[in-house]
């Protein structure tokens, strides 16, 4: 088992299978030492995490939804690395979208659910640049969608 997967296991996290794209795109693109992962939507073993943060979900529930996106991002990264997730050098950037009400302003706290998870699971490799923006709606009505850029060896 890889060092990263050992750490994930310590955290009680198992990487899911990479989600099949719902439209005309690929899950990731590798260019040189960079991996660009398509947006991953909030879902857990029970299914999609739906709703609008600030109306249907609290900030804390939104952050938990963002963490599920981060786990799916790592699953896609593992696939891009032909199963060797230890090729990860660092998380470069996240772009997080929060399905939220017009007056909701805590999008950064929601996306912290992913950012905090990456640092907890990956240490300094998990520190990254990021954006956290509001969206009036997201695909399928999910609460959060996050895309990522990773650097690999």
């Amino acid at each position: 088992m890889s060092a990263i997967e050992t750490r994930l296991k310590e955290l009680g996290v198992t990487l899911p299978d990479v989600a099949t794209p719902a439209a005309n795109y690929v899950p990731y693109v590798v260019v040189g030492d960079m991996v660009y992962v398509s947006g991953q939507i909030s879902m857990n073993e029970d299914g999609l995490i739906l709703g609008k943060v600030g109306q249907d979900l609290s900030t804390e529930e939104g952050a938990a939804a963002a963490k599920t996106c981060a786990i799916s991002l790592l699953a896609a990264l593992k696939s891009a690395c032909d199963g060797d997730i230890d090729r990860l050098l660092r998380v470069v950037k996240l772009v997080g979208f929060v399905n939220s009400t017009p007056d909701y302003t805590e999008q950064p706290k929601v996306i912290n659910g992913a950012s905090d998870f990456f640092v907890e699971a990956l240490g300094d490799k998990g520190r990254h640049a990021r954006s956290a923006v509001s969206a009036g709606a997201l695909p399928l009505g999910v609460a959060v969608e996050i895309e990522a850029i990773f650097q690999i060896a």
Side-chain angles (χ1 to χ4, degrees):
M1 184 175 289
S2 78
I4 291 174
E5 287 180 292
T6 298
R7 177 64 181 142
L8 292 173
K9 185 176 180 180
E10 290 170 358
L11 296 172
V13 174
T14 302
L15 295 179
D17 293 332
V18 178
T20 303
N24 189 16
Y25 64 91
V26 294
Y28 55 82
V29 173
V30 180
V31 178
D33 66 347
M34 305 300 281
V35 180
Y36 299 83
V37 179
S38 295
Q40 300 296 303
I41 58 176
S42 53
M43 63 183 342
N44 59 27
E45 60 279 350
D46 298 325
L48 298 175
I49 300 171
L50 304 171
K52 208 170 263 300
V53 181
Q55 175 180 302
D56 308 309
L57 301 168
S58 68
T59 298
E60 294 75 21
E61 290 169 321
K67 179 180 177 181
T68 70
C69 297
I71 292 168
S72 294
L73 288 165
L74 285 182
L77 173 67
K78 180 179 176 182
S79 178
C81 292
D82 298 320
D84 184 7
I85 197 168
D86 282 345
R87 290 177 56 196
L88 174 68
L89 295 176
R90 74 169 303 137
V91 181
V92 176
K93 184 169 184 184
L94 300 181
V95 179
F97 303 92
V98 181
N99 183 358
S100 53
T101 59
D103 60 339
Y104 184 80
T105 60
E106 295 189 332
Q107 291 81 6
K109 290 181 181 179
V110 171
I111 302 305
N112 276 348
S115 296
D116 293 347
F117 170 74
F118 279 133
V119 173
E120 181 180 20
L122 306 170
D124 283 341
K125 289 181 180 184
R127 298 194 183 283
H128 52 271
R130 102 174 178 196
S131 299
V133 297
S134 178
L138 288 174
L140 306 173
V142 297
V144 180
E145 180 174 353
I146 303 174
E147 63 182 59
I149 303 171
F150 299 98
Q151 184 182 27
I152 58 172

